[in-house]
């Protein structure tokens, strides 16, 4: 299979086209939301929300089948967002409270799933997603859920950034700390809802964390972090789906689509990290050479001797 077929022709297939559409929308919005998560240092909170959604996925699947997964996840996500926000704002230690919610929610989800007839299949679908088998009827709800998350971030972006860098100043300016935390946690929860239906509840965290972290390695300008993270996420999603298709159809290697997309995210981040480390090392070496050349006694002496010779020649 040629690269052109994998990168372009593959998405003419209906199931690949749906997967690409959902992954592009989801990953770009997750990347934008993830920049704020990265700036606020809320990666562990996001991990807690991914696990808090799991019982909602399980209950929705048990009650309404595949059609009940999205509503069940949405309800669980909103409850989890409110609970984790309250824990953040209360006197309870953040990490301890999140760990309790994380393990309790996940255990409840596993118990519910274990009561289904197809325990192994249902658990695998909830944990690792079904990006290539997304029903056409689920595309619009997934896009809408992701768009609501983007809207929440867009409406509070300036206040969120202010709170990230100066929490005391944000409070003094009249911003509601609880309101901003809740808005961001709800946005993260909605991204998790959409992501859990595609790449699964275990892997969705990569869509939230990796693009923002990569953007901060690429550029230092604050407001450019958001488009950079979106572009990074879109390219990684496209290449991940194309890689999975090429491996499965062209090479006969059966790769899970969601896991392949996440692997490409991580690989792209590793490449960006190595380039950044190499660039920083080059700058340090160049600075060291420049400093050594400017401060060298031999260099100063030779320069003085050259000036003396030149003056002597002019006098002669």
């Amino acid at each position: 299979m040629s690269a052109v077929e994998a990168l372009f022709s593959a998405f003419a297939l209906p199931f690949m086209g749906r997967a690409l559409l959902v992954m592009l929308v989801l990953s770009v919005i997750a990347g934008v939301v993830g920049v704020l998560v990265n700036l606020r240092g809320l990666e562990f909170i996001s991990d807690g929300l991914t696990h808090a959604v799991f019982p909602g996925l399980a209950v929705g699947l048990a009650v309404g089948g595949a059609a009940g997964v999205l509503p069940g996840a949405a309800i669980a996500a909103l409850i989890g967002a409110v609970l984790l926000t309250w824990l953040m704002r209360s006197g309870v230690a953040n990490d301890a409270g999140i760990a309790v919610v994380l393990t309790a929610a996940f255990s409840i989800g596993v118990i519910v799933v274990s009561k289904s007839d197809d325990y192994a299949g249902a658990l695998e679908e909830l944990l690792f997603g079904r990006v290539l088998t997304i029903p056409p009827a689920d595309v619009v709800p997934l896009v809408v859920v992701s768009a609501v998350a983007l809207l929440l971030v867009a409406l509070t972006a300036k206040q969120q950034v202010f709170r990230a860098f100066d929490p005391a100043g944000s409070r003094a300016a009249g911003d509601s700390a609880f309101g901003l935390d809740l808005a961001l946690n709800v946005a993260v929860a909605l991204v998790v809802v959409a992501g859990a239906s595609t790449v699964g509840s275990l892997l969705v965290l990569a869509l939230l964390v990796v693009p923002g972290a990569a953007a901060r390695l690429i550029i230092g300008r604050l407001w450019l972090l958001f488009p950079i993270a979106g572009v990074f996420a879109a390219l990684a999603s496209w290449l991940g789906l194309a890689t999975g298709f090429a491996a499965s159809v062209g090479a006969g290697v059966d790769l899970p689509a969601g896991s392949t997309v996440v692997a490409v995210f991580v690989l792209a981040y590793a490449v960006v990290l190595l380039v950044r480390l190499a660039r920083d090392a080059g700058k340090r070496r160049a600075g060291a050479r420049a400093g050594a050349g400017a401060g060298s006694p031999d260099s100063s002496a030779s320069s003085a001797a050259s000036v003396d010779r030149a003056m002597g020649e002019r006098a002669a």
Side-chain angles (χ1 to χ4, degrees), residues 85-232:
T85 304
W86 175 77
L87 287 173
M88 289 171 59
R89 303 294 304 161
S90 68
V92 180
N94 282 349
D95 290 350
I98 296 166
V100 170
V101 173
L102 185 153
T103 52
F106 206 75
S107 62
I108 292 170
V110 173
I111 291 171
V112 173
V113 172
S114 67
K115 301 301 180 183
S116 65
D117 295 332
D118 183 17
Y119 168 66
L123 185 61
E124 181 180 1
E125 181 177 311
L126 295 179
L127 292 178
F128 304 110
R130 53 191 178 99
V131 64
L132 294 183
T133 58
I134 298 173
D138 285 358
V139 173
V140 173
L142 289 173
V143 171
V144 169
V145 167
S146 302
V148 173
L150 181 62
L151 180 62
L152 282 173
V153 168
L155 292 175
T156 62
K158 289 185 178 180
Q159 293 87 348
Q160 295 284 3
V161 171
F162 190 14
R163 176 158 169 72
F165 288 99
D166 189 0
S170 175
R171 288 193 298 271
D175 295 334
S176 170
F178 180 82
L180 290 175
D181 289 346
L182 182 60
L184 182 56
N185 284 340
V186 169
V188 170
L190 292 176
V191 169
V192 170
V193 168
S197 300
T198 52
V199 298
S201 60
L202 286 184
L203 301 176
V204 67
L205 188 64
L207 304 186
L208 277 165
V209 173
V210 174
R216 295 192 71 175
L217 292 174
I218 293 171
I219 196 164
R221 294 185 179 181
L222 179 61
W223 293 108
L224 288 180
L225 293 174
F226 296 94
I228 293 293
V231 171
F232 176 94

Side-chain angles (χ1 to χ4, degrees), residues 63-77:
V63 173
V69 169
L70 193 58
I75 294 171

Side-chain angles (χ1 to χ4, degrees), residues 1 3 16 21 29 96 111 124-125 128 241 280 291 293:
M1 174 176 289
M16 288 294 292
L21 172 62
I29 293 176
I111 291 171
E124 181 180 1
E125 181 177 311
F128 304 110
L241 288 173
D280 290 348

